Amino acid sequence: MALKDIFDKFFKPNKVNKLLGYIKKCENYDSDYWMVAGYKDIIIELNQFKDNDWRFLNQKLINWSSNQKSILALALTYQDPNCPKINEDIEISKLYSYIFLLVDDEELEYFWEENWDVLLSNDLETLQSIKKRIIEYVRKKPNIYNDGKLMAGYNFEIMFDTLDKQIIKASR
C-alpha cells in the first residue's frame, strides 16, 4: 500500500464516512424530510463515489444500524422527478439486495413489498442468497406462513415461484 493510500485511508475524510455522518445526523427525521431533501442529498453523495468508495461502503455497511441501511436503500429506489437520478453505472439492484441481506428481520417485509422487482433483477448468486434469507425469515415466523397460503398479506408460494423462475433464468 502506497503512503498516499495509507494517509487517505486514515486521515482524509472519506465519502462513506461523510454519507454515514449525514444519515446519522438526520436518521430520526420524519419521512417528509427524506422525501423533500434527504434522499436527494444521499443520491448526490452516491453519484460522487468512485470504485474504491463502493468497496469501502460494502465493507462498512455491516456495521451500520438497520435503520441507516434502510435509509440508504430507500434513497436508491426513490423516484421523484425533482430528485437527481442515480448514475447509470451504479448497480442499484446489487446494492439494494446486499442491504436486504444485512437488515434486521423487521425491515425485510418492507424491502420486498416496495421493491420486489429490484430484488429480482440480480445475478444467480445474489438471487439464491435472497431466497435463502426469505426462507430463514419465514422459518422464524411460523405464524405468517402456512403451506404457502396467503398469510399476513403475502402469498409465499407465488413469491418463491417467481424467485425460482428468476434463478433459473439467471443460471442460463
Side-chain angles (χ1 to χ4, degrees), residues 39 43 46 70-80 86 92-93 96 110-111 114-115 117-119:
Y39 296 142
I43 291 169
L46 293 175
S70 294
I71 290 169
L72 176 59
L74 290 170
L76 291 171
T77 57
Y78 184 66
Q79 296 180 1
D80 182 318
I86 293 181
I92 295 170
S93 64
Y96 185 86
Y110 182 81
F111 271 70
E114 294 300 315
N115 293 294
D117 58 323
V118 176
L119 289 172

Side-chain angles (χ1 to χ4, degrees), residues 29-38:
Y29 293 0
D30 67 14
S31 60
D32 288 343
Y33 170 79
W34 290 105
M35 288 188 270
V36 170

Side-chain angles (χ1 to χ4, degrees), residues 24-150:
K24 279 183 175 181
K25 182 180 97 177
C26 305
E27 75 180 302
N28 293 318
Y29 293 0
D30 67 14
S31 60
D32 288 343
Y33 170 79
W34 290 105
M35 288 188 270
V36 170
Y39 296 142
K40 175 184 169 191
D41 293 341
I42 290 173
I43 291 169
I44 289 169
E45 288 298 320
L46 293 175
N47 283 341
Q48 296 176 30
F49 274 35
K50 305 287 184 232
D51 286 344
N52 59 331
D53 299 312
W54 289 110
R55 284 191 295 276
F56 192 59
L57 176 63
N58 282 333
Q59 293 169 0
K60 293 298 179 179
L61 269 173
I62 293 168
N63 300 318
W64 289 24
S65 74
S66 196
N67 187 47
Q68 293 159 354
K69 292 172 197 163
S70 294
I71 290 169
L72 176 59
L74 290 170
L76 291 171
T77 57
Y78 184 66
Q79 296 180 1
D80 182 318
N82 299 319
C83 194
K85 299 291 181 219
I86 293 181
N87 291 342
E88 290 180 13
D89 58 333
I90 298 173
E91 294 184 58
I92 295 170
S93 64
K94 195 83 167 160
L95 182 56
Y96 185 86
S97 300
Y98 180 62
I99 295 169
F100 172 84
L101 297 172
L102 295 176
V103 294
D104 295 339
D105 284 352
E106 302 81 49
E107 307 281 342
L108 280 184
E109 291 180 35
Y110 182 81
F111 271 70
W112 76 59
E113 281 176 354
E114 294 300 315
N115 293 294
W116 184 241
D117 58 323
V118 176
L119 289 172
L120 290 177
S121 57
N122 271 292
D123 59 66
L124 177 62
E125 184 180 339
T126 305
L127 288 167
Q128 289 171 330
S129 296
I130 289 167
K131 181 177 180 180
K132 181 180 174 188
R133 178 75 166 102
I134 294 172
I135 289 170
E136 289 169 358
Y137 173 76
V138 169
R139 285 187 178 144
K140 291 180 201 173
K141 307 267 188 183
N143 58 324
I144 66 166
Y145 183 74
N146 185 8
D147 296 326
K149 302 291 187 279
L150 189 63

Side-chain angles (χ1 to χ4, degrees), residues 112 134 138 144-145 148 151 154-161:
W112 76 59
I134 294 172
V138 169
I144 66 166
Y145 183 74
M151 301 296 289
Y154 308 111
N155 189 323
F156 287 98
E157 192 173 280
I158 292 172
M159 284 178 67
F160 287 126
D161 184 56

Side-chain angles (χ1 to χ4, degrees), residues 1-16:
M1 185 180 281
L3 187 57
K4 179 193 178 305
D5 295 330
I6 293 170
F7 177 81
D8 286 351
K9 183 176 180 182
F10 292 105
F11 299 106
K12 199 175 186 183
N14 66 56
K15 294 174 187 166
V16 174

